[in-house]
Amino acid sequence: MALAALVLVVATVLAMWPHRPLPLRLAPGAAVVDVDIAPGMAAGAIAQALHDAGVEVPVAVLQLWLRWSGRARELKAGAYEIAPGTTPAQLLDKLVRGEQALRRVTLVEGWTVRDVVRTLRRAEDLVDDLPPGDDPVTLAHVLGLPSGHAEGWFFPDTYIYPKRGRASAVLRQASAAMQERLAAAWAQRAPDLPLRSPDEALILASLVEKETGHDADRALIAGVFVNRLRIGMRLQTDPSVIYGLGEAFDGNLRRRDLIADTPYNTYTRAGLPPTPIAMPGWASLLAAVQPARTPALYFVARGDGTSAFSRTLDEHNRAVRRYQLQR
């Protein structure tokens, strides 16, 4: 009878233990226990990692539980958070489903590489494994981008990454997304487009992105640029000049800046600039490959987010006086 009672007690404890909260040792100021499970870890190594992270259960017990569950081979690598109140059964389900601790970061249309790198370095629980600085050429080399220049090659979107993930992994995901979106846009290009490659479409899209945030004007602005490219007229777009000035730009574009030649000065050089000048979104990509058919060769900002379009220089000068000079 005594043996039977003991067996019953042990069986009851074993049945109840998976559903009782795990004892956790939290680090000072922490609300959860953080644990990293590396790829290829066996049950014993996972049990040790859980114990070392702060699950105050003997390693042998944890290992026995993982193996006894019959799901030890299903456990997935990743970064996990274990909150107070988590039971062994819930922890096992979390590891089997791969419910990692996730974070997110948003890259915004019109941002430059400098903006992107700054944001990633400030992102929550993201490991900065990027090269020092924010040089687009260096970044392209490190990430293995085929363009050789990282500017414009990250698609603006919200990206989800595991806690303690790497910034380079986010950028590779954003680069793959841009290459996919650019290919999709290029496949829909107008038949008579004066662009020779998807790369040139991306450059044009970046100009459109920086010139307007008004969706209805994107295709018209692209149409103006396309008209100018067709006749060999210089694009004369200020955002490209500003990009070429780099950190020397103080927020005030002066006449001397417009006549100082750089590879990005579209007042002194014909054609597209050598690289994109920012990250275009999908709307600007589509506008670049499907520009509006318009007779306009000029446009000027009205001051309310929209643009006024003109066919002739005289019309344009009148629009400049009205909207820019307030005459």
Side-chain angles (χ1 to χ4, degrees):
M1 291 292 292
L3 180 59
L6 179 61
V7 171
L8 180 60
V9 169
V10 171
T12 301
V13 171
L14 291 175
M16 293 177 61
W17 182 79
H19 306 289
R20 290 184 177 275
L22 288 162
L24 301 179
R25 181 183 67 257
L26 299 178
V32 296
V33 165
D34 284 310
V35 61
D36 290 315
I37 306 300
M41 268 190 174
I46 293 175
Q48 186 68 57
L50 291 170
H51 179 77
D52 293 345
V55 178
E56 294 197 303
V57 175
V59 174
V61 174
L62 289 171
Q63 182 176 356
L64 182 63
W65 159 244
L66 294 176
R67 289 180 173 170
W68 178 80
S69 71
R71 307 175 75 184
R73 294 182 180 275
E74 302 175 47
L75 305 183
K76 295 179 175 61
Y80 295 91
E81 291 177 340
I82 307 172
T86 300
T87 67
Q90 290 169 337
L91 175 58
L92 179 64
D93 286 342
K94 181 190 287 282
L95 297 178
V96 168
R97 290 196 297 265
E99 289 183 358
Q100 296 189 62
L102 301 177
R103 301 292 185 264
R104 63 183 61 209
V105 63
T106 299
L107 310 183
V108 178
E109 292 92 342
W111 277 6
T112 64
V113 161
R114 183 182 304 163
D115 299 318
V116 170
V117 170
R118 183 187 305 119
T119 296
L120 293 182
R121 286 186 169 138
R122 295 174 179 172
E124 181 184 11
D125 296 319
L126 187 62
V127 176
D128 179 11
D129 64 337
L130 302 177
D134 50 26
D135 177 59
V137 174
T138 302
L139 197 57
H141 175 72
V142 169
L143 296 175
L145 302 183
S147 64
H149 196 282
E151 196 66 79
W153 282 95
F154 307 119
F155 188 73
D157 203 349
T158 296
Y159 293 93
I160 297 174
Y161 58 90
K163 189 175 184 179
R164 294 180 297 281
R166 297 183 178 277
S168 61
V170 174
L171 286 185
R172 287 190 175 92
Q173 186 180 358
S175 174
M178 178 58 85
Q179 293 178 56
E180 180 181 343
R181 295 300 185 95
L182 179 58
W186 185 249
Q188 303 175 53
R189 67 189 183 278
D192 57 346
L193 203 63
L195 301 175
R196 296 170 296 182
S197 67
D199 290 34
E200 290 192 349
L202 183 63
I203 294 172
L204 179 57
S206 75
L207 300 181
V208 172
E209 188 67 59
K210 294 299 288 184
E211 283 285 6
T212 185
H214 188 62
D215 283 346
D217 285 351
R218 294 183 197 275
L220 286 166
I221 288 175
V224 169
F225 287 144
V226 164
N227 287 345
R228 288 186 169 217
L229 289 172
R230 283 195 177 111
I231 64 175
M233 184 177 178
R234 292 175 185 177
L235 299 185
Q236 297 181 316
T237 173
D238 291 354
S240 184
V241 177
I242 291 170
Y243 182 83
L245 292 173
E247 295 184 2
F249 180 62
D250 62 3
N252 184 20
L253 190 63
R254 300 171 177 85
R255 178 171 177 77
R256 67 170 181 263
D257 299 323
L258 301 180
I259 61 176
D261 185 53
T262 77
Y264 292 89
N265 191 334
T266 50
Y267 285 82
T268 61
R269 299 196 184 193
L272 294 165
T275 72
I277 62 170
M279 296 188 304
W282 174 248
S284 292
L285 286 172
L286 206 56
V289 298
Q290 296 180 1
R293 294 189 177 275
T294 173
L297 285 171
Y298 305 87
F299 63 89
V300 64
R302 287 194 176 100
D304 62 356
T306 66
S307 300
F309 296 85
S310 306
R311 291 177 298 173
T312 68
L313 183 58
D314 285 342
E315 290 177 5
H316 176 63
N317 288 336
R318 287 196 294 272
V320 169
R321 287 194 294 270
R322 178 179 179 184
Y323 296 113
Q324 298 287 311
L325 304 179
Q326 303 296 316
R327 294 188 207 164

